[in-house]
Amino acid sequence: MRPGFGNQGRPIDLFANFYRMKFNPRITVYHYDIEIEPKCPKFLKRKLIHKFAQDNKATLFKNGLPVYDGNKNVYSSIKLPVGNDAQSVEVELPEQVDSKAKKFTIKIKFAASIDMSCLEQVLKGSGYGDIPQETLVIADIVIRHFPSMRYTTAGRSMYQRPEDSKRVNLGEATELWTGIYTSARPSNWGLVLNVDESHTAFYEEQPVLDFMAKQLKMNGAINANFSLRDADRMILEKHLKFLRVSVKHQAQKRQYRVEKLTSKTASQISFDVEGRKMSIGQYFKQQYNYTLKYPHLPCIWVSPKEKNTFIPMEVCDIVAGQRCMRKLTDNETRNMIRATAKKPPIRKQGTDEQVRKMQYPADPYLKQFGFEVDTTMVQVKVKLSTLQSWVILTTRP
């Protein structure tokens, strides 16, 4: 146990990247498990559950605002008419740029009820045992739910695409995105929100041909006879695999996920169209009045793989908002460090700005669950040592 507090040194005030929170301890939160059939892509799950909540707001959700963790857990501040046996609800997600219209079945069942008063008792010192972790989990999910509708989420962090004037190119077809990290924590001040600026690399929105040039370190423009060596095709495929691309040869910019690159070129791939064999290039000319500029490049094989859908690289763009999951190159790491190294006052200003963008005072989900977030950073009193010099001891062999 700490024996006491020091009385030497000059007292000063410092800012700590915490923001005080209030919560209503009289609220009981109800936890429900959900299961989605057929399997829903991760980037569509939040849209689907939001549609589920909207369609059933007056009935299943009793005009409440449920929150979702992005996985298989839904929380409500109102007890729903759902028991331990799963209840199935059909939801149709309308056609969007990243998916066709599709029907899903959501199975929802009661999992647990969480009494938020136990968190208050422990924070005040009147409770027993450890901090009830499920209450902190609820706080985190509620805090992130509303911003996640506007931001790209990655773990405990959320990112927003930078304005054109503020973009930082990291190299190798990536750019820097700045966001916010949040985590609800118990403290001597009560419940607080730990906030910090967060930085990571995202792929730039760009034509796939530009992406190819950067990944393969190509110099100069390519001509109509350009082709890829097998080794370069495999390198490019490794970087493209599982990324989402949008197409620009159609009126609607549909999106697809990359499975692989074809081993054959666009001019070599053919298929039957009404009993006539036709190459990819011929099909595009007939169907879209589009003449391929680079017929000797491979096509992108998009998912679902079993449908054998091949799209020429030249009509595809990398979709914005895709986090770079590979290890950054030395050049990318160096550029990121240069861009994110900030002095404390600038870092505080950036953190305060990120908190402002969260719009916590206007967040209807925080209000529904009885939470409030103070948007003023916590100040702490510390004492600055009066020692004017330091002695550094070194040892030598």
Side-chain angles (χ1 to χ4, degrees):
M1 182 177 290
R2 182 171 180 168
F5 294 90
N7 53 18
Q8 295 184 3
R10 178 166 61 89
I12 61 171
D13 289 330
L14 289 181
F15 288 101
N17 56 327
F18 294 99
Y19 297 79
R20 286 186 173 88
M21 294 181 64
K22 295 179 182 178
F23 68 98
N24 184 351
R26 295 185 296 277
I27 284 183
T28 297
V29 176
Y30 301 93
H31 173 202
Y32 298 88
D33 286 336
I34 62 165
E35 185 180 336
I36 303 171
E37 295 179 351
K39 189 176 180 180
C40 179
K42 190 172 182 180
F43 69 92
L44 275 181
K45 281 185 175 180
R46 288 189 182 276
K47 291 180 183 178
L48 177 63
I49 298 303
H50 183 62
K51 183 70 164 50
F52 170 50
Q54 281 186 321
D55 290 352
N56 299 276
K57 183 175 181 179
T59 53
L60 183 63
F61 293 103
K62 297 183 174 181
N63 291 313
L65 296 171
V67 295
Y68 175 54
D69 72 345
N71 190 18
K72 55 179 297 183
N73 302 289
V74 167
Y75 297 86
S76 172
S77 62
I78 301 171
K79 191 171 185 179
L80 308 182
V82 176
N84 295 323
D85 295 329
Q87 183 174 325
S88 297
V89 181
E90 193 173 88
V91 180
E92 182 171 0
L93 201 59
E95 183 170 356
Q96 300 174 57
V97 293
D98 49 14
S99 65
K100 292 182 178 180
K102 194 171 184 179
K103 289 183 179 180
F104 293 90
T105 298
I106 297 177
K107 295 180 179 179
I108 180 170
K109 66 178 180 179
F110 176 77
S113 57
I114 300 97
D115 183 0
M116 297 299 290
S117 66
C118 58
L119 176 59
E120 182 190 46
Q121 292 168 9
V122 174
L123 289 172
K124 286 185 173 181
S126 58
Y128 297 95
D130 298 328
I131 293 289
Q133 290 300 313
E134 65 272 17
T135 59
L136 299 180
V137 169
I138 290 167
D140 279 334
I141 293 170
V142 173
I143 287 164
R144 294 193 194 103
H145 186 85
F146 189 48
S148 71
M149 296 178 183
R150 314 184 305 276
Y151 282 64
T152 299
T153 59
R156 288 180 177 268
S157 298
M158 292 176 287
Y159 301 92
Q160 202 167 38
R161 188 179 183 183
E163 299 171 6
D164 289 344
S165 61
K166 296 181 179 179
R167 286 189 180 175
V168 177
N169 180 276
L170 298 177
E172 284 77 43
T174 59
E175 63 184 5
L176 177 69
W177 282 31
T178 298
I180 184 172
Y181 163 93
T182 61
S183 178
R185 304 277 182 87
S187 75
N188 292 335
W189 304 300
L191 189 63
V192 295
L193 186 64
N194 179 211
V195 179
D196 201 358
E197 266 195 323
S198 184
H199 307 278
T200 195
F202 278 75
Y203 287 108
E204 295 175 302
E205 182 180 33
Q206 60 196 303
V208 167
L209 292 186
D210 290 353
F211 182 87
M212 173 185 73
K214 293 171 184 175
Q215 298 299 342
L216 300 180
K217 297 178 173 55
M218 295 164 51
N219 295 318
I222 61 176
N223 58 41
N225 294 319
F226 180 81
S227 62
L228 287 178
R229 297 177 304 169
D230 283 345
D232 288 336
R233 176 177 56 80
M234 293 174 70
I235 290 172
L236 181 59
E237 179 178 288
K238 181 180 177 181
H239 287 289
L240 278 173
K241 194 174 178 67
F242 301 136
L243 290 183
R244 296 199 312 281
V245 296
S246 63
V247 295
K248 50 194 175 187
H249 63 285
Q250 298 172 322
Q252 184 182 13
K253 293 191 71 173
R254 287 287 311 280
Q255 293 183 11
Y256 301 89
R257 192 181 73 161
V258 177
E259 287 287 343
K260 60 181 297 183
L261 294 180
T262 58
S263 56
K264 293 182 178 181
T265 67
S267 62
Q268 293 171 335
I269 299 172
S270 61
F271 53 96
D272 288 332
V273 179
E274 298 178 352
R276 185 164 67 95
K277 223 168 188 56
M278 189 176 287
S279 70
I280 297 284
Q282 291 170 332
Y283 179 79
F284 267 67
K285 181 63 177 176
Q286 176 181 295
Q287 189 72 13
Y288 306 110
N289 194 29
Y290 181 89
T291 302
L292 293 186
K293 300 172 185 175
Y294 309 104
H296 302 295
L297 286 176
C299 290
I300 295 177
W301 194 337
V302 300
S303 61
K305 191 176 178 181
E306 58 272 13
K307 286 194 174 181
N308 293 331
T309 303
F310 310 125
I311 305 175
M313 290 168 53
E314 66 186 75
V315 300
C316 294
D317 291 335
I318 303 293
V319 174
Q322 298 183 85
R323 187 182 177 196
C324 179
M325 301 303 293
R326 61 168 170 79
K327 182 180 178 182
L328 298 184
T329 64
D330 291 344
N331 181 51
E332 288 171 318
T333 302
R334 185 165 49 249
N335 290 335
M336 178 173 283
I337 291 172
R338 286 173 180 167
T340 58
K342 300 175 183 177
K343 293 182 178 180
I346 304 300
R347 193 167 189 86
K348 177 191 177 296
Q349 183 180 347
T351 304
D352 282 337
E353 176 63 15
Q354 292 295 338
V355 170
R356 184 191 66 77
K357 288 181 178 179
M358 291 295 103
Q359 303 175 17
Y360 290 135
D363 189 329
Y365 296 89
L366 283 177
K367 185 177 181 180
Q368 175 84 55
F369 283 81
F371 287 100
E372 292 180 35
V373 179
D374 188 342
T375 55
T376 303
M377 192 179 284
V378 165
Q379 279 187 285
V380 293
K381 293 187 178 296
V382 300
K383 289 188 177 179
L384 188 64
S385 173
T386 54
L387 286 175
Q388 298 300 312
S389 62
W390 296 86
V391 178
I392 301 175
L393 299 178
T394 60
T395 58
R396 296 182 181 179

